[in-house]
Amino acid sequence: MEQRKLLHNLLAKSQKALPPRKMKDSFIEVLLPLGTDPELRDKYLTVQNTVRFGRILEDLDSLGVLVCYMHNRNHSAMMSPLSIVTALVDKIDMCKQSLSPEQDIKFTGHVSWVGKTSMEVKMKMFQLQNNEDYWPVLDATFVMVARDSENKGPAFVNPLIPETAEEEELFRQGELNKGRRIAFSSASLLKMAPSPEERNTIHEMFLNTLDPKTISFQSRILPPKAVWMENTKLKSLDICHPQERNIFNRIFGGFLMRKAYELAWATACSFGGSRPFVVTVDDIMFQKPVEVGSLLFLSSQVCFTQDNYIQVRVHSEVASLESNEHMTTNVFHFTFMSEKEVPLVFPKTYGESMLYLDGHRHFKSMSVPVTLKKDYPVEP
Ligand SMILES: CCCCCC(=O)SCCNC(=O)CCNC(=O)[C@H](O)C(C)(C)COP(=O)(O)OP(=O)(O)OC[C@H]1O[C@@H](n2cnc3c(N)ncnc32)[C@H](O)[C@@H]1OP(=O)(O)O
């Protein structure tokens, strides 16, 4: 960090002072040679002979940061004065149920939109099929933010100029995504009451849980094929050891995502009674950095279900060893699909009802429902 302090004078005073970049300037293609490197394969292997999605989340986070460094590269400087941090995982859509640990994987990524200090990064993942063609398996959109060399204040990023009609469309989409995120967050149930339709849903669910034999709002019974939301929880605790730190001496975002994903998967698995697979990850906001040495408390809960789908929310809090004060750092949303139909979840309290509605909102925003499309080969 002492060395990084010296990089301060390389920071631009305004965005205009930085040369504009093209999308191809930040384009990267990275190979994960699972097919030829058995030692590497072990790190990615699940007991069902598929690829650990938690490891892929770590790779996407590192790739997102690397793409941003490419975009902001100053060829005359040895080191970048920017600290790039992950602010948001906007969306990760899977196009395939499971990945083979024996075939190579290819990642591509580039910056698709920039603001003043933030950048949207689009990443794709492809897997080799039958040693012939690469097929698309995953699409991801992250938002990364540039901070100064000590990660203490904001820093400008290079402007981005779209060149082709396709790039213009991506850039326009980036602008729309920003607006959508603001609208989604201002309609948050933490700030606003549910819509009339949502209120009806909750009241109907409440009525469905009243015991018809008693005239009381207190005696609640579960409808058939349903589970109380409070009985779907799993919790974990991790100590954030220095091994998981990033170059800015904070805990690596990919590690936090992997831990949250693995707990969410276990929650969906014990709830649904079969091994689920992840379909979508969305809206993971990194609100606060996690200090090395913190205690990481994760609480996972099924908050919405429909047919074979299980929507899981993981709340992450940190506390230092010295203080008991807990601070929320992230909320994660994962959509899983189970092999068989799963029970319904019923909220008991008002707070749980809000979790249910929030889960439903996230479920509705899923862009690859039911059929995992895109099963065709491409040249990445
Ligand atoms: C290999 C190395 C890996 C390293 C990667 C990691 O592991 S990083 C570790 C995991 N991540 C973290 O620890 C980050 C923790 N979070 C933070 O430190 C902070 O929340 C933050 C720096 C991201 C944002 O802080 P602030 O909101 O106070 O910053 P500020 O208001 O100046 O906003 C900066 C820019 O970010 C945008 N921004 C902020 N939050 C956003 C969000 N949730 N979604 C989209 N965009 C967001 C703003 O619009 C603005 O863009 P414009 O200026 O364009 O309008």
Side-chain angles (χ1 to χ4, degrees):
M1 291 312 279
E2 280 306 310
Q3 253 186 350
R4 292 194 61 80
K5 245 186 218 174
L6 306 173
L7 299 170
H8 251 274
N9 54 4
L10 292 177
L11 289 166
K13 303 275 178 297
S14 74
Q15 193 175 32
K16 279 201 189 111
L18 293 165
R21 295 283 149 80
K22 298 168 183 155
M23 289 195 194
K24 65 177 178 227
D25 293 332
S26 60
F27 183 86
I28 314 183
E29 192 174 284
V30 183
L31 183 72
L32 186 64
L34 293 181
T36 48
D37 188 339
E39 229 170 88
L40 182 74
R41 194 181 303 151
D42 233 30
K43 188 177 152 192
Y44 285 82
L45 192 64
T46 72
V47 74
Q48 299 87 45
N49 204 36
T50 59
V51 172
R52 287 172 65 178
F53 185 68
R55 290 277 183 229
I56 299 296
L57 290 175
E58 291 182 320
D59 290 344
L60 288 171
D61 200 29
S62 302
L63 182 69
V65 172
L66 189 60
V67 162
C68 292
Y69 276 119
M70 295 290 283
H71 174 82
N72 293 287
R73 194 156 50 156
N74 175 352
H75 292 273
S76 58
M78 289 281 284
M79 236 178 166
S80 170
L82 300 180
S83 306
I84 310 267
V85 299
T86 315
L88 177 81
V89 175
D90 185 69
K91 203 94 187 138
I92 302 177
D93 286 328
M94 288 298 292
C95 329
K96 219 166 169 275
Q97 281 188 19
S98 60
L99 307 176
S100 160
E102 278 144 25
Q103 296 284 346
D104 288 355
I105 283 177
K106 217 174 243 186
F107 293 91
T108 63
H110 66 88
V111 171
S112 51
W113 173 88
V114 300
K116 291 254 175 297
T117 66
S118 61
M119 294 154 279
E120 186 187 78
V121 178
K122 293 258 181 223
M123 289 172 279
K124 286 180 189 292
M125 207 173 111
F126 306 87
Q127 185 160 45
L128 199 59
Q129 300 275 326
N130 312 321
N131 288 323
E132 278 176 8
D133 303 300
Y134 276 95
W135 291 43
V137 289
L138 174 153
D139 286 339
T141 307
F142 282 39
V143 178
M144 320 300 281
V145 169
R147 314 272 295 160
D148 64 26
S149 35
E150 292 175 88
N151 191 5
K152 286 190 175 155
F156 292 110
V157 298
N158 290 63
L160 175 68
I161 299 188
E163 284 188 301
T164 61
E166 200 184 327
E167 288 184 3
E168 265 165 29
E169 179 51 29
L170 274 181
F171 196 88
R172 200 185 63 86
Q173 201 59 49
E175 204 68 47
L176 291 177
N177 285 344
K178 188 181 175 183
R180 172 180 52 79
R181 280 176 213 124
I182 294 170
F184 199 86
S185 114
S186 33
S188 157
L189 293 162
L190 288 168
K191 296 180 190 155
M192 271 180 79
S195 70
E197 196 190 347
E198 288 175 327
R199 285 200 288 263
N200 274 344
T201 306
I202 290 304
H203 199 70
E204 245 166 59
M205 288 183 91
F206 173 70
L207 295 180
N208 279 338
T209 63
L210 291 185
D211 186 348
K213 290 194 218 99
T214 60
I215 309 168
S216 158
F217 290 129
Q218 301 296 341
S219 39
R220 312 274 300 271
I221 49 164
L222 259 182
K225 290 192 194 152
V227 175
W228 289 121
M229 195 188 273
E230 65 184 7
N231 295 334
T232 68
K233 287 183 189 166
L234 276 187
K235 292 185 183 232
S236 74
L237 165 73
D238 277 281
I239 300 173
C240 297
H241 293 293
Q243 188 189 9
E244 310 302 344
R245 71 185 183 274
N246 61 25
I247 46 172
F248 322 118
N249 216 21
R250 299 277 170 69
I251 294 300
F252 174 47
F255 166 77
L256 303 173
M257 286 198 270
R258 173 162 66 81
K259 284 288 163 187
Y261 166 75
E262 288 178 353
L263 185 66
W265 184 84
T267 309
C269 196
S270 69
F271 174 82
S274 68
R275 293 180 188 279
F277 56 90
V278 67
V279 196
T280 301
V281 180
D282 82 328
D283 198 23
I284 302 178
M285 224 164 100
F286 288 86
Q287 292 165 14
K288 300 241 162 42
V290 176
E291 302 295 336
V292 175
S294 309
L295 297 178
L296 175 71
F297 296 88
L298 297 177
S299 317
S300 169
Q301 184 165 27
V302 175
C303 55
F304 176 82
T305 63
Q306 185 177 299
D307 308 325
N308 293 26
Y309 288 104
I310 308 168
Q311 186 71 36
V312 181
R313 174 194 173 98
V314 183
H315 184 248
S316 135
E317 289 178 331
V318 292
S320 67
L321 277 174
E322 299 81 40
S323 96
N324 278 332
E325 204 182 315
H326 285 220
M327 202 170 56
T328 298
T329 56
N330 304 75
V331 179
F332 303 83
H333 303 273
F334 300 99
T335 312
F336 292 94
M337 202 170 176
S338 182
E339 280 161 15
K340 49 185 190 197
E341 198 165 316
V342 296
L344 295 170
V345 276
F346 271 77
K348 230 184 214 173
T349 63
Y350 189 77
E352 284 177 354
S353 302
M354 296 306 103
L355 288 180
Y356 181 90
L357 293 178
D358 193 47
H360 189 207
R361 286 183 186 185
H362 282 283
F363 180 75
K364 278 198 303 189
S365 72
M366 181 169 60
S367 53
V368 274
V370 196
T371 47
L372 295 169
K373 295 173 270 175
K374 305 185 197 172
D375 248 8
Y376 52 86
V378 289
E379 281 299 319

